[in-house]
Amino acid sequence: MFKNTISNLHRLRQVAEVLLRYGFEDIVTMTPLRRLVPQRRRLSWLHDERSVFETTRWERVRLIIEELGPTFIKLAQAMSNRADLLPQELIDEFEKLQSNVPPFDVTVARQIIEEELKQPITNVFSEFDDVPIGSASIGQVHRARLRTGEEVVVKVQRPGVQEKVRGDLALLHELVRLTANFLSNHGLANPQDVVDAFERSMSKELDYTAEARSMEQMRTLYADYKTFSIPKPYRDFSTSRILVIEFVQGCKITDKEQLLAWGLRPEKVAETGMDIYLTQIFEFGFFHADPHPGNVLVRPDGTLVLIDFGMVGRLTKQQKYAFAGVFIGMARQDARSMALNFRRLAITAEIPDMRAFEADLSQLIEDFAMLDVQEMSMSDLADSLQTIIYNYKLQVPGAVFLILRALVILEGIGKVLHPNFNTFEFVRPYGARIIKEQYSPDNILSEAQYTGAQLLALLQTLPADVRQIMRKISKGELRVKVELSGYQTLLRKADELVSRTILALLCVGGLLFSGLTLLGRYSPDMPYRRGVPEITWWSLGATGFLLLVLFLLGVTRRKEKGK
């Protein structure tokens, strides 16, 4: 424990120094982090031989994240999907982050595989390629062949990465504790919740069995699809640190030349891909959350294959209906419907002015209603929706931002393959399907049963709750907790008034004392200046100083009122 504490202090000092180097001295000097940096330490505010102040504040945040390492990069990448928490300028910078990490020694990879499988690697694989085909901050990937003949890829976790990530997560918790007030004053109201959610996400990413389960679940959902495939995970040879998956031969979905060489129509491939993804969202509520071109492959027969299920998203049935309702309300140019569905979608939605909220949504509808179908962009719509969510501080499920981000990526893929690709035309029929499902007899019956169960539970507990309240009233034990807000300004004004009153009284007292000193009888040793006792001059000097302080306080107050 002592060793960990010393290690955290050393790392915290490094973090504080990096913050200072990039001009974020306010974060250090306004929080307890200032105690970790000696005053004699002179830090250079330079990056690539130029002053960091030539960059924007958001760019300096990205530079800090890059220097702090992979865990912080992954946190920033995760935060780039949270437009409800961060301004768009910072999200744009976070999207530039790349966690390019060189591969580790293949002998270490082989050793990890043998430790996890508890047998020599040759007992499992007849071939194992020592050159990795991919490398990331968590692990790297090697091609191999099982003893039974199947071609596979093997994901191997980096040595010591779990300890490194846990250490950095502990550090993040400590940083949030030290800077919570600062972050709260700058708009991030719940930084601890953000770190907790990131910790849960990283815990899943560090456990390869979670990825294997996601792949198996998706394989079950799409078992009957002929145009879509998910690689098979080999659970018998997989653990939390290694994952063995079926190898897929294919090209990137954006490789138009290869698609044409195989006799495939790129337009059809794009339409199939969009249909599959929208089915994941609106039918199953379980979707692959990172469909960039490298994760979407096409086989020579036209079958689409999704790989890398380290990031998946889920929507409950009610969230699915509310999310679809936002798009349906927009299609119908109904701002009130959009607002209501946003409130249903949000985890907490304390909107102080619903009329202003509806007005902003109405403006959004007008902006897009005037556009031609070819001019509509999912990217522009996603940015507009995320801006509204951020401005009104709506806490919506993180899966919503994953969906918006994925739709933007898919639109980019679609426009490469399909000259007339339009995301909205694909979403429209799913909206009608969702309405039909939402108001189907089976769903209405299910909702009625749920509501009835909730009412029954309330009726069962209500008599006991009322009895308990009445018992506390009769015993005088009932306490009401009232939290006042908005009184800080009043207290500050009262404090300023009292301070100035005291100064004014001291000034009056000083003048009275100065007058009385003129009437006093002093010993011959008392020095006089210009016929006035020296004590009188001292008293007048002190009073003058107090008057000057009182005058400056009044000037400062008037300037603050004028702003």
Side-chain angles (χ1 to χ4, degrees), residues 54-249:
E54 294 177 16
T55 62
T56 67
R57 188 175 181 85
W58 308 126
E59 287 179 279
R60 299 203 302 274
V61 173
R62 174 175 57 80
L63 293 172
I64 288 172
I65 295 296
E66 286 176 346
E67 191 159 333
L68 289 176
T71 306
F72 289 84
I73 289 174
K74 281 193 167 291
L75 172 61
Q77 288 171 336
M79 291 291 290
S80 68
N81 299 315
R82 297 304 306 270
D84 56 335
L85 300 177
L86 302 180
Q88 189 60 44
E89 297 89 342
L90 185 54
I91 288 173
D92 292 340
E93 288 298 322
F94 280 175
E95 288 176 346
K96 299 175 184 177
L97 289 168
Q98 299 292 331
S99 50
N100 297 321
V101 182
F104 58 92
D105 194 339
V106 68
T107 57
V108 178
R110 285 174 171 268
Q111 183 181 349
I112 292 172
I113 293 171
E114 291 181 345
E115 288 175 358
E116 291 296 307
L117 298 180
K118 296 179 174 56
Q119 57 183 312
I121 195 171
T122 53
N123 288 0
V124 180
F125 304 105
S126 59
E127 299 175 15
F128 187 87
D129 192 348
D130 288 344
V131 180
I133 59 176
S135 177
S137 58
I138 299 297
Q140 63 191 37
V141 182
H142 293 261
R143 282 188 66 175
R145 185 183 296 273
L146 293 173
R147 279 288 179 186
T148 50
E150 295 95 333
E151 282 193 87
V152 295
V153 293
V154 185
K155 291 180 70 171
V156 187
Q157 205 168 93
R158 287 183 174 273
V161 69
Q162 295 198 16
E163 293 75 13
K164 168 68 174 171
V165 170
R166 290 194 188 101
D168 281 345
L169 287 171
L171 176 66
L172 280 169
H173 282 291
E174 186 68 10
L175 280 171
V176 166
R177 186 184 69 81
L178 292 172
T179 61
N181 291 335
F182 179 87
L183 294 172
S184 179
N185 292 337
H186 285 74
L188 191 57
N190 54 345
Q192 190 61 60
D193 293 343
V194 172
V195 174
D196 289 342
F198 176 64
E199 186 171 17
R200 290 191 295 270
S201 173
M202 286 301 297
S203 297
K204 289 182 179 179
E205 192 166 349
L206 288 169
D207 182 5
Y208 285 162
T209 59
E211 184 174 348
R213 286 194 298 270
S214 296
M215 295 176 75
E216 288 180 336
Q217 184 177 353
M218 190 71 78
R219 283 174 61 85
T220 301
L221 293 174
Y222 284 92
D224 297 331
Y225 275 64
K226 304 300 182 184
T227 58
F228 181 50
S229 175
I230 297 96
K232 173 187 174 183
Y234 291 84
R235 297 293 296 272
D236 293 340
F237 305 119
S238 300
T239 68
S240 62
R241 298 179 67 198
I242 65 171
L243 177 59
V244 180
I245 313 168
E246 171 191 2
F247 175 74
V248 177
Q249 187 70 49

Side-chain angles (χ1 to χ4, degrees), residues 420-439:
N420 299 316
F421 189 87
N422 184 269
T423 307
F424 300 97
E425 292 302 314
F426 289 98
V427 174
R428 198 187 306 275
Y430 282 90
R433 194 183 304 177
I434 284 290
I435 291 178
K436 185 177 179 181
E437 177 188 333
Q438 186 176 0
Y439 296 105

Side-chain angles (χ1 to χ4, degrees), residues 249-267 269-270 292-300 302 304 412-418:
Q249 187 70 49
C251 69
K252 286 185 180 181
I253 190 170
T254 50
D255 191 347
K256 193 171 181 179
E257 290 183 7
Q258 185 61 66
L259 296 178
L260 292 170
W262 285 339
L264 301 175
R265 291 178 55 238
E267 297 87 349
V269 171
H292 67 75
N295 285 341
V296 187
L297 304 180
V298 184
R299 287 176 174 169
L304 268 67
I413 293 172
K415 288 183 177 179
V416 171
L417 302 176
H418 197 314

Side-chain angles (χ1 to χ4, degrees), residues 13 17 20 34-43:
R13 185 174 289 111
E17 289 182 359
L20 284 171
R34 63 183 176 274
R35 295 196 289 264
L36 300 174
V37 181
Q39 205 169 28
R40 66 179 182 277
R41 188 76 60 87
R42 299 295 180 181
L43 299 172

Side-chain angles (χ1 to χ4, degrees), residues 340-516:
L340 292 174
N341 279 291
F342 257 125
R343 293 192 67 174
R344 289 173 58 199
L345 183 62
I347 300 168
T348 57
E350 298 179 1
I351 302 173
D353 190 345
M354 277 297 293
R355 290 186 178 180
F357 184 54
E358 288 182 19
D360 284 349
L361 291 174
S362 179
Q363 183 62 51
L364 172 69
I365 291 171
E366 288 180 16
D367 291 343
F368 280 87
M370 295 175 64
L371 295 176
D372 184 78
V373 173
Q374 300 302 321
E375 296 177 322
M376 289 186 179
S377 167
M378 189 66 218
S379 177
D380 293 340
L381 176 61
D383 287 345
S384 299
L385 289 175
Q386 290 176 168
T387 299
I388 289 174
I389 290 170
Y390 176 76
N391 289 341
Y392 285 92
K393 303 301 178 188
L394 300 178
Q395 293 186 29
V396 301
V400 171
F401 300 105
L402 292 176
I403 292 171
L404 292 175
R405 172 177 172 271
L407 289 175
V408 172
I409 294 172
L410 290 168
E411 182 178 63
I413 293 172
K415 288 183 177 179
V416 171
L417 302 176
H418 197 314
N420 299 316
F421 189 87
N422 184 269
T423 307
F424 300 97
E425 292 302 314
F426 289 98
V427 174
R428 198 187 306 275
Y430 282 90
R433 194 183 304 177
I434 284 290
I435 291 178
K436 185 177 179 181
E437 177 188 333
Q438 186 176 0
Y439 296 105
S440 66
D442 290 342
N443 191 60
I444 292 174
L445 178 60
S446 175
E447 288 294 315
Q449 289 175 339
Y450 175 78
T451 304
Q454 293 290 97
L455 287 172
L456 182 61
L458 176 64
L459 292 173
Q460 288 174 338
T461 58
L462 187 61
D465 292 340
V466 172
R467 194 179 301 116
Q468 186 178 7
I469 293 171
M470 295 302 294
R471 189 182 299 116
K472 285 189 175 184
I473 292 174
S474 64
K475 292 182 179 180
E477 296 177 352
L478 186 67
R479 292 181 175 86
V480 179
K481 183 179 178 182
V482 179
E483 291 187 2
L484 300 176
S485 61
Y487 61 87
Q488 291 89 349
T489 303
L490 181 62
L491 288 176
R492 188 168 61 251
K493 288 181 179 178
D495 185 59
E496 291 174 359
L497 180 62
V498 170
S499 298
R500 283 188 286 171
T501 302
I502 292 172
L503 281 173
L505 290 174
L506 287 172
C507 290
V508 172
L511 288 172
L512 289 174
F513 179 76
S514 299
L516 291 173

